[in-house]
Amino acid sequence: MISTVVIGALENNASKDVNESLSITSEEASWFASLLYLFTPVGNILSLLLLDRFGHKKCMILTNIPSIIAQVILYFAENVKILYASSILMALTLGFSNAPSLAYAGEVCEPKLRGALTSALNVFYYGGSIILTMVYSITMQWRQTVLLTTVFPIMTIAILLTTPDSPMWLLAKGKHSKAHRNLSRLRGKVSYEKCENEFQEMVRYNSPSNNDEPTSSTCRHNFIDQKENTNAWKHLFEPEVIRAFRLMTIYFLFMNLLSGLPLLPYLVSILKEFGAPVNVEWTISFSMALSIVGSLMAVFLIRSLGKRFLTLFTLSICSVCYIAIGLIGVYWKNAEPLKSWTVLVLFLITILISSVGITPVSWTLVTEIFPAKSRNILCSVCTGVCFIITFFMTKYYPELSILVEFYNLFTIVGIVGLFGCIYFFFFLPETENKTLQEITEFFK
């Protein structure tokens, strides 16, 4: 959300701070916004190189350090080149954090709770967004807002220091007893006996020989490391991996189209284009509050309704709302106050509905559908693909908006979204309350 605040404050001398000398053009704003997504895959690659070696916990701690540096650089920025540098560094941070956090969430959660708990990650994502936008709404100084929010990566490091490593990762490294101990801790410090069945399932899932008998730590470590080195990349070309990767790529495409993610940096100008007589900064904060409400709803609904139903329902609602925004904007004349409020309400509905389904489900699916041997690699690759898609949509949104006109773009996106509903109706499986092994078997 930092790009939303900075662009809203600096684009075309829009700053309300009389002491602010920095200003950026619309072209510079599009680059500042999109660089955040262009360099995210580089962070994904870095995490891919380090994740198997250091584990999820250490990687999640490391990712906060460049985040702090990026915010400090941004605070002292005096020209657009420094803005770009900060955006690139934030992109590396974002990319580096995705694979460790998503893979960790997918591995430590019980099957019956995995969907709810991983979808709850979005609550905190939007929680951070609303805090930042509310701080800016109060201070109306983007530099002060950036400086104040550096407290969050510092708090995150402190919390992660007390977080146990993933039992799956420990098993892959041959640390059998520590894996069992961490699983017991993650399940509420229960006795080993109460989580024995789940632990043995993890052992079978990690062992290519399906041997339930624990071997010595050294032999197990050497055996698994050898298998990882020789087979990890070969597994990427197996049918179940290719099918799952294709599904996630298409899912991320439609998630970007209908969730409004590429539009976030331009929210200030979009809300002004709608023309409703509202305070733009507080409306952005309100939209983030709606996202939190939607994410909380997802936590409770995902278990009862399933990911497939939530995907089809929310994607269809968002598509219809986008089409309605476009048609009303183009054809509803001579009713300006009512028209402005109608398109604004429809847009806010898409933000709420997408945070209930397509957004949290996308990040939950990516933690589930890949086999254990290639999960870390493919979590990195998939998030990289997602942000490359976001980069192009963010960078070229202004040009597309001019080319096809502002409201027509909403209509086009909505129509494309309806085709997405048809695709997912036929090809999206239900993964809720399924074990990771059962999900992998489906794609075979």
Side-chain angles (χ1 to χ4, degrees), residues 56 63 88 98 197 199 228 242:
H56 310 80
T63 193
I88 291 171
N98 271 306
N197 289 338
F199 181 71
E228 284 180 348
I242 293 174

PDB file of all heavy atoms in Angstrom, residues 56 63 88 98 197 199 228 242:
ATOM      1  N   HIS A  56      12.234 -22.342   6.596  1.00  0.00           N
ATOM      2  CA  HIS A  56      11.242 -21.267   6.512  1.00  0.00           C
ATOM      3  C   HIS A  56      11.479 -20.172   7.542  1.00  0.00           C
ATOM      4  O   HIS A  56      11.374 -18.981   7.251  1.00  0.00           O
ATOM      5  CB  HIS A  56       9.837 -21.849   6.701  1.00  0.00           C
ATOM      6  CG  HIS A  56       9.548 -23.025   5.831  1.00  0.00           C
ATOM      7  ND1 HIS A  56       9.998 -24.299   6.131  1.00  0.00           N
ATOM      8  CD2 HIS A  56       8.865 -23.127   4.663  1.00  0.00           C
ATOM      9  CE1 HIS A  56       9.607 -25.135   5.191  1.00  0.00           C
ATOM     10  NE2 HIS A  56       8.914 -24.458   4.288  1.00  0.00           N
ATOM     11  N   THR A  63      13.884 -11.732   5.601  1.00  0.00           N
ATOM     12  CA  THR A  63      13.173 -10.879   4.651  1.00  0.00           C
ATOM     13  C   THR A  63      12.781  -9.532   5.240  1.00  0.00           C
ATOM     14  O   THR A  63      12.514  -8.574   4.509  1.00  0.00           O
ATOM     15  CB  THR A  63      11.922 -11.609   4.116  1.00  0.00           C
ATOM     16  OG1 THR A  63      11.419 -10.901   2.989  1.00  0.00           O
ATOM     17  CG2 THR A  63      10.820 -11.652   5.165  1.00  0.00           C
ATOM     18  N   ILE A  88      12.244  -1.191  -5.755  1.00  0.00           N
ATOM     19  CA  ILE A  88      12.924  -2.435  -6.131  1.00  0.00           C
ATOM     20  C   ILE A  88      13.283  -3.236  -4.887  1.00  0.00           C
ATOM     21  O   ILE A  88      13.105  -4.461  -4.838  1.00  0.00           O
ATOM     22  CB  ILE A  88      14.175  -2.126  -6.965  1.00  0.00           C
ATOM     23  CG1 ILE A  88      13.765  -1.574  -8.344  1.00  0.00           C
ATOM     24  CG2 ILE A  88      15.046  -3.367  -7.134  1.00  0.00           C
ATOM     25  CD1 ILE A  88      14.918  -1.040  -9.168  1.00  0.00           C
ATOM     26  N   ASN A  98       7.413 -14.505   0.182  1.00  0.00           N
ATOM     27  CA  ASN A  98       6.239 -15.277  -0.230  1.00  0.00           C
ATOM     28  C   ASN A  98       6.404 -16.777  -0.073  1.00  0.00           C
ATOM     29  O   ASN A  98       5.607 -17.435   0.580  1.00  0.00           O
ATOM     30  CB  ASN A  98       5.879 -14.948  -1.691  1.00  0.00           C
ATOM     31  CG  ASN A  98       4.932 -13.785  -1.788  1.00  0.00           C
ATOM     32  OD1 ASN A  98       3.872 -13.775  -1.176  1.00  0.00           O
ATOM     33  ND2 ASN A  98       5.319 -12.763  -2.534  1.00  0.00           N
ATOM     34  N   ASN A 197      -0.128 -40.235  14.901  1.00  0.00           N
ATOM     35  CA  ASN A 197      -0.672 -40.619  13.596  1.00  0.00           C
ATOM     36  C   ASN A 197      -0.341 -39.580  12.533  1.00  0.00           C
ATOM     37  O   ASN A 197       0.047 -39.918  11.406  1.00  0.00           O
ATOM     38  CB  ASN A 197      -2.189 -40.817  13.687  1.00  0.00           C
ATOM     39  CG  ASN A 197      -2.558 -42.055  14.469  1.00  0.00           C
ATOM     40  OD1 ASN A 197      -1.755 -42.981  14.599  1.00  0.00           O
ATOM     41  ND2 ASN A 197      -3.776 -42.079  15.003  1.00  0.00           N
ATOM     42  N   PHE A 199       2.102 -37.467  12.627  1.00  0.00           N
ATOM     43  CA  PHE A 199       3.541 -37.460  12.402  1.00  0.00           C
ATOM     44  C   PHE A 199       3.964 -38.588  11.462  1.00  0.00           C
ATOM     45  O   PHE A 199       4.778 -38.387  10.543  1.00  0.00           O
ATOM     46  CB  PHE A 199       4.276 -37.592  13.741  1.00  0.00           C
ATOM     47  CG  PHE A 199       5.769 -37.558  13.596  1.00  0.00           C
ATOM     48  CD1 PHE A 199       6.427 -36.383  13.252  1.00  0.00           C
ATOM     49  CD2 PHE A 199       6.524 -38.712  13.767  1.00  0.00           C
ATOM     50  CE1 PHE A 199       7.802 -36.352  13.110  1.00  0.00           C
ATOM     51  CE2 PHE A 199       7.897 -38.685  13.623  1.00  0.00           C
ATOM     52  CZ  PHE A 199       8.536 -37.503  13.292  1.00  0.00           C
ATOM     53  N   GLU A 228      16.932 -35.401  -2.987  1.00  0.00           N
ATOM     54  CA  GLU A 228      16.563 -34.029  -3.338  1.00  0.00           C
ATOM     55  C   GLU A 228      17.469 -33.488  -4.434  1.00  0.00           C
ATOM     56  O   GLU A 228      17.005 -32.849  -5.383  1.00  0.00           O
ATOM     57  CB  GLU A 228      16.658 -33.138  -2.105  1.00  0.00           C
ATOM     58  CG  GLU A 228      15.488 -33.328  -1.145  1.00  0.00           C
ATOM     59  CD  GLU A 228      15.622 -32.426   0.067  1.00  0.00           C
ATOM     60  OE1 GLU A 228      16.712 -31.851   0.261  1.00  0.00           O
ATOM     61  OE2 GLU A 228      14.642 -32.297   0.797  1.00  0.00           O
ATOM     62  N   ILE A 242       2.875 -30.219 -13.664  1.00  0.00           N
ATOM     63  CA  ILE A 242       2.539 -29.344 -14.788  1.00  0.00           C
ATOM     64  C   ILE A 242       1.058 -28.952 -14.743  1.00  0.00           C
ATOM     65  O   ILE A 242       0.701 -27.779 -14.956  1.00  0.00           O
ATOM     66  CB  ILE A 242       2.876 -30.039 -16.123  1.00  0.00           C
ATOM     67  CG1 ILE A 242       4.400 -30.202 -16.251  1.00  0.00           C
ATOM     68  CG2 ILE A 242       2.324 -29.241 -17.305  1.00  0.00           C
ATOM     69  CD1 ILE A 242       4.839 -30.989 -17.459  1.00  0.00           C
TER      70      ILE A 242
END
